[in-house]
Amino acid sequence: MEFRRKFAAGEIIFEEGDVGDCAYVVEHGKVEIFAGKRNTRVQLATRTGGDLFGEMAIIDDEPRSAGARAMTDTTLLIITRDQLNQRIERADPILRMCMNVLLSHLRDTLRRLTQRNTLEFDRPLINDEALSQALSAIRLEQALQTALDQDQFELWYQPIVDLQDGQIAGYEALIRWRHPERGLIYPGAFIGAAERCGLIIPMTRWAFQQACTDLGALGTDRFVSVNFSGKDFAAPDFLAYIDATLAALDRTPSQLKLEITESLLMHSPETARRVLKALRQRGASVAIDDFGTGYSSLSYLHSLPADTLKIDRSFVQSMLVDESSHSLVRSIIGLAQGLDMTIVAEGIEEPAQGRALRDMGVQLAQGFFFARPAPLAHIVSLTEQWVPKSLAGSQDNSGPLSL
Ligand code: CMP
Ligand code: MG
């Protein structure tokens, strides 16, 4: 794998119209960017230490828009097509569309400047796939705004059960979108988009306010867990908003658990620490969600003022069939116990999973085995008629005869 290329003074790096295989950063030396070929060269720019060039052909997959020539002995650092493309693929589709439009304007201007080609007005600015991605992102964001304005979100609840006595200890509030044409939409289909466009903040605030309202119906001796994103925590008025909502609805923070995913905490650990601490000081509980799927180091977890760890469903679901998941779950539990944190396991679908987790010391669990998420009214009546589910499996279920 080649990382650097050296060019002697005067040497051509590439010509206008060439196929581009990489972009460059000037490490040492000086580069001239020119329009036109050898005899008709017009200098467009010069590039020196730290400057990037040759990116356009990689981004829009068109020929080199201009030529490049070493003005002195020059060393260039190579950025491969793959390195650049991986980043572009991860970028927001609307940002990608803007970038492609800008590039096409720039190419157009270059052509006019050098007056060599007729303008290509009918050339599509971006390919069909990129266009449809960008358009569906724009449409989704607009639909989310409408959903907020027209109150199309619903807050459902999933019971969280105490593994010792089978009683409901609390609930996780889960957002659902009741779309007028498409019906019920689950958060996996829209939370990412809401995070990218910033609508996540009014959305979570709506959910938090709704959960505080619903607390009355769910009973004062149980907690409600609400999901937040890193963006929510980073908003400068986040704590003021929480305080104002609690005061307006006359709720105490002690019944609330705020869930935040491990990966989102990693983005701005200092803000996270400060906000979590303030929440704990108010008496609210804080849970790290999806634990095990991110990259936190143990020392980082140790420094976080959180009191609850949620074990991700993916580990719970594979732990009885896959030895490495099993040991991962065991070490997460050990870690949480060492830090005196409460553990909530997600995604319990079979009694054997609940049994194994309980025997390893997990206190709380949620999953289809206990109850599916449902709207408030349903959950209230489910709670009233709740009968603890037995975790006993077939081998434990032995009748008196087999004693
Ligand atoms: P690319 O088209 O891959 O190859 C030529 C490079 O020249 C291009 O990417 C840009 O990095 C650079 N370039 C093109 N036009 C200009 C300009 N007007 N000013 C400065 N640099 C340019
Ligand atoms: Mg959660």
Side-chain angles (χ1 to χ4, degrees):
M1 176 96 178
E2 190 189 7
F3 297 112
R4 280 188 179 72
R5 274 180 206 159
K6 287 183 194 286
F7 294 88
E11 206 179 332
I12 296 285
I13 301 164
F14 53 72
E15 294 265 19
E16 182 190 311
D18 284 357
V19 173
D21 59 346
C22 63
Y24 298 99
V25 174
V26 181
E27 211 169 47
H28 303 290
K30 191 168 180 182
V31 171
E32 176 195 35
I33 308 289
F34 59 92
K37 299 254 158 116
R38 291 167 201 281
N39 306 326
T40 59
R41 279 214 291 253
V42 184
Q43 191 182 77
L44 294 172
T46 57
R47 294 285 174 253
T48 56
D51 290 342
L52 170 75
F53 70 97
E55 76 295 346
M56 290 174 57
I58 311 303
I59 297 174
D60 64 8
D61 218 1
E62 295 277 328
R64 293 289 188 197
S65 61
R69 184 184 68 94
M71 297 172 80
T72 61
D73 289 351
T74 297
T75 312
L76 301 176
L77 195 67
I78 293 176
I79 303 179
T80 64
R81 180 176 282 276
D82 256 13
Q83 284 177 308
L84 212 56
N85 279 344
Q86 275 180 19
R87 288 169 171 82
I88 293 171
E89 276 158 23
R90 282 202 301 267
D92 180 279
I94 296 171
L95 206 63
R96 274 161 54 185
M97 181 153 81
C98 290
M99 193 165 68
N100 280 301
V101 170
L102 281 173
L103 283 187
S104 111
H105 291 332
L106 179 57
R107 285 185 183 274
D108 206 44
T109 309
L110 275 174
R111 269 193 294 272
R112 285 171 201 253
L113 184 78
T114 51
Q115 292 178 344
R116 282 159 297 120
N117 276 330
T118 48
L119 301 180
E120 297 169 35
F121 285 116
D122 50 358
R123 196 171 59 84
L125 291 183
I126 53 177
N127 68 39
D128 290 351
E129 196 191 329
L131 179 66
S132 77
Q133 271 183 24
L135 289 182
S136 59
I138 292 175
R139 288 196 194 103
L140 177 56
E141 288 170 18
Q142 290 168 345
L144 283 173
Q145 182 65 61
T146 309
L148 273 168
D149 296 343
Q150 299 184 356
D151 226 6
Q152 293 170 0
F153 292 114
E154 294 176 8
L155 204 57
W156 288 22
Y157 293 91
Q158 182 173 39
I160 297 174
V161 167
D162 186 322
L163 286 176
Q164 287 301 331
D165 62 11
Q167 297 295 342
I168 298 177
Y171 309 86
E172 178 173 1
L174 297 158
I175 197 163
R176 301 287 184 260
W177 180 7
R178 179 80 59 188
H179 192 282
E181 284 119 40
R182 290 166 57 200
L184 194 67
I185 306 179
Y186 289 82
F190 60 86
I191 291 292
E195 265 165 357
R196 281 190 292 276
C197 70
L199 282 176
I200 191 74
I201 293 181
M203 244 163 81
T204 342
R205 290 185 181 191
W206 171 82
F208 180 69
Q209 193 162 339
Q210 190 62 47
C212 288
T213 308
D214 294 348
L215 263 178
L218 291 169
T220 49
D221 50 348
R222 301 197 176 91
F223 68 86
V224 170
S225 235
V226 183
N227 292 285
F228 286 83
S229 85
K231 275 220 168 106
D232 296 305
F233 275 36
D237 65 337
F238 176 72
L239 288 168
Y241 171 80
I242 297 285
D243 291 339
T245 308
L246 292 172
L249 294 166
D250 197 21
R251 299 287 181 226
T252 52
S254 58
Q255 258 189 287
L256 289 164
K257 217 187 253 300
L258 288 88
E259 295 192 8
I260 176 142
T261 62
E262 183 195 9
S263 52
L264 287 169
L265 285 173
M266 301 301 289
H267 283 307
S268 43
E270 273 320 307
T271 313
R273 221 191 308 275
R274 187 178 52 78
V275 175
L276 296 188
K277 198 165 157 215
L279 288 167
R280 293 295 308 283
Q281 279 165 351
R282 284 161 170 75
S285 152
V286 172
I288 311 294
D289 210 353
D290 303 339
F291 192 76
T293 59
Y295 308 94
S296 354
S297 65
L298 300 189
S299 59
Y300 176 66
L301 184 67
H302 175 67
S303 73
L304 272 181
D307 58 275
T308 304
L309 254 198
K310 294 194 78 169
I311 303 180
D312 190 66
R313 71 187 64 240
S314 57
F315 301 122
V316 171
Q317 271 151 22
S318 55
M319 82 183 180
L320 295 183
V321 286
D322 173 30
E323 184 45 44
S324 64
S325 299
H326 194 269
S327 35
L328 191 66
V329 169
R330 210 170 328 113
S331 37
I332 294 176
I333 294 169
L335 175 70
Q337 286 168 338
L339 294 172
D340 211 13
M341 294 171 93
T342 303
I343 309 161
V344 181
E346 285 180 345
I348 284 81
E349 291 181 356
E350 300 157 17
Q353 293 163 336
R355 225 163 37 233
L357 290 161
R358 180 197 60 200
D359 295 346
M360 285 191 272
V362 173
Q363 300 96 323
L364 301 173
Q366 66 192 89
F368 288 0
F369 171 68
F370 298 111
R372 288 174 183 261
L376 179 69
H378 181 101
I379 289 295
V380 169
S381 60
L382 180 82
T383 303
E384 281 162 9
Q385 303 154 23
W386 186 255
V387 181
K389 300 232 174 0
S390 165
L391 289 180
S394 45
Q395 70 271 40
D396 300 326
N397 227 356
S398 41
L401 283 180
S402 60
L403 273 175

